[in-house]
Amino acid sequence: MSVDATLKEIANQKIAPLYFLYGEEDYFLDKVADALDAEGVVLQSHERDFNREVLMGPETTASSILNACQSFPVMAQRRLVILKEAHRMNKKEWEKLGPYLSKPVPSTVLVILHKDRRLPVGKKIADPMKKNGRVIESKRMY
């Protein structure tokens, strides 16, 4: 799926439970993530304190990601979990995320920012991401 098509879906409030944003062009990846994080898209301003979590790839584990994603929203319809620098996360931790990616929680929007052109995962993880969410590649501009 393209960045423009994804931004159009987000503007029309068609929000998927999973977004895997990868590639070398940081600007477009951040643009999609910022669109999801904007006020009124996934969360209202008064819901953000309890329902928005930002995790950093090298500092987190699969269990902390799963805990954040499987928590119930507090006085809101959804939770927003953003995983930044996912390209620096341990490969073994990726494998532990497989079952969640196959069946994501509908009340959570998980946004994964992987700023590398190579996917870190095999078909066991890539296929469920494509089936249950949006996989967007941002190629380097020439």
Side-chain angles (χ1 to χ4, degrees), residues 9-59:
E9 268 190 0
I10 293 169
N12 291 330
Q13 290 291 317
K14 293 180 182 176
I15 308 296
L18 173 64
Y19 288 87
F20 185 78
L21 314 169
Y22 76 102
E24 294 178 297
E25 194 60 51
D26 297 351
Y27 173 77
F28 295 112
L29 300 179
D30 291 335
K31 192 171 181 176
V32 174
D34 290 345
L36 288 163
D37 197 20
E39 183 179 333
V41 176
V42 176
L43 298 172
Q44 301 297 327
S45 62
H46 64 279
E47 301 170 336
R48 293 171 65 85
D49 291 339
F50 296 107
N51 297 301
R52 179 181 176 269
E53 196 157 346
V54 178
L55 304 167
M56 301 302 283
E59 301 165 2

Side-chain angles (χ1 to χ4, degrees), residues 115-131:
K115 296 183 178 182
D116 194 351
R117 65 183 169 87
R118 291 169 282 144
L119 290 176
V121 295
K123 286 183 120 332
K124 285 183 179 179
I125 296 175
D127 288 345
M129 283 192 296
K130 291 175 184 174
K131 179 182 175 193

